[in-house]
Amino acid sequence: MKITTRNAAFQQWQALLTNRNKRQRAGEFLVQGVRPISLAVEHGWEIRQLIFPAGRRLSEWAATLLDKVVEPVEMAPELHAELGEKSDAELVAVVGLPPDRLDRLGHHVPDRAGAPLYVLFDRPTSPGNLGTLIRSADAFGAEGLVVCGHAADPYDPRAVRASTGSIFALPVVRTSATAEVLEWAAPLRLVGTDERATVDVADADLRGPTLLLVGNETVGLSSALRQAADEMVRIPIGGAASSLNAAAAATIVLYEAARQRTRREP
């Protein structure tokens, strides 16, 4: 398949860069960059097309991936640069969206030694923050992440880039049904973050089955999630900063959970 003009296929893929509704209707999104594309392939995501620029000498990595695709797409370099959002992009992948079902996250609660850790991000507004938190959750051993409410899209190219491909390794589920999430999370201990909380994060017990609740960047957690929380924790800070970025704060709590879970008991 060769594309040299702004035909219907190109326009549909171009819309995936900025239009969440069209991503949802098409059931697919664009992935840019070597690491994210490699992780999508490694973790078995549905690669619908791999788009490469015509007339360019490709790396061994790109050539190997193209050999695995039934119908690679050759595209005029200037059009390919628009989809890749950079002139030197080798490949752009069109990847199928996974289902937004909470059972993708698992629902077993084993004993304390293998206690699961999940994250819920309540109504995030920034794709960059969302992608950063997906990356941190993956790095510190979380088993899944829930994006709750009217929120940034984890399949926005900015979120995918910020996750550096972790979105393909960590199950991420979107939902607007807070009650459904709370029912799913019933066996878990819910720990929220709040700068006004009285318990320092280092003093909280994060070793058991836990769902970490992270609030919206501006208004924090919804009242329903705040009321459902078993404990609220704070991160002591100093300097001129009045608070931490939501993704940064959550990363600190995730690190503390990982530290508690891996340290040797005296």
Side-chain angles (χ1 to χ4, degrees):
M1 182 176 179
K2 294 184 179 181
I3 294 179
T4 59
T5 63
R6 295 175 179 275
N7 63 8
F10 173 80
Q11 291 178 42
Q12 177 178 325
W13 291 330
Q14 186 183 45
L16 301 180
L17 290 171
T18 57
N19 193 311
R20 176 181 187 149
N21 290 333
K22 290 189 176 181
R23 285 194 292 268
Q24 197 62 34
R25 284 198 297 270
E28 61 191 24
F29 64 112
L30 294 187
V31 181
Q32 309 149 329
V34 173
R35 181 170 174 78
I37 293 175
S38 295
L39 285 172
V41 172
E42 178 183 335
H43 288 275
W45 285 56
E46 179 193 5
I47 309 299
R48 295 185 175 176
Q49 282 93 21
L50 278 178
I51 308 170
F52 67 98
R56 183 177 301 172
R57 183 180 178 85
L58 297 176
S59 68
E60 182 179 352
W61 166 79
T64 299
L65 285 185
L66 286 170
D67 284 341
K68 298 179 180 179
V69 176
V70 174
E71 188 181 18
V73 178
E74 183 179 6
M75 183 173 285
E78 66 276 12
L79 300 180
H80 185 271
E82 289 188 38
L83 296 186
E85 298 186 301
K86 57 190 299 189
S87 60
D88 60 347
E90 278 198 293
L91 298 179
V92 175
V94 183
V95 179
L97 288 173
D100 284 308
R101 298 196 317 262
L102 288 169
D103 59 13
R104 287 184 57 227
L105 304 176
H107 201 141
H108 66 289
V109 180
D111 60 24
R112 195 178 194 79
L117 173 65
Y118 298 97
V119 182
L120 181 149
F121 203 164
D122 182 30
R123 299 163 297 154
T125 58
S126 163
N129 275 343
L130 177 53
T132 297
L133 184 49
I134 292 169
R135 180 180 182 180
S136 295
D138 180 29
F140 290 118
E143 295 191 25
L145 184 144
V146 178
V147 183
C148 195
H150 183 69
D153 185 5
Y155 305 108
D156 184 303
R158 293 168 293 179
V160 176
R161 285 195 298 268
S163 82
T164 65
S166 283
I167 192 170
F168 301 110
L170 180 80
V172 176
V173 174
R174 301 170 293 180
T175 181
S176 58
T178 302
E180 181 184 0
V181 175
L182 293 177
E183 181 181 356
W184 168 83
L188 305 172
R189 187 164 182 268
L190 275 55
V191 178
T193 56
D194 189 325
E195 62 189 36
R196 296 179 297 277
T198 57
V199 177
D200 287 356
V201 63
D203 297 326
D205 186 351
L206 302 174
R207 293 172 296 172
T210 301
L211 175 62
L212 172 62
L213 307 175
V214 181
N216 169 273
E217 295 95 332
T218 303
V219 299
L221 288 170
S222 69
S223 57
L225 289 172
R226 186 178 295 275
Q227 291 171 15
D230 297 295
E231 185 171 34
M232 300 294 292
V233 299
R234 64 184 289 270
I235 300 167
I237 62 173
S242 61
S243 63
L244 292 174
N245 167 279
T251 298
I252 292 171
V253 180
L254 284 164
Y255 168 77
E256 175 60 21
R259 186 191 70 82
Q260 291 184 18
R261 289 158 181 251
T262 57
R263 70 183 180 184
R264 295 182 180 275
E265 296 293 340

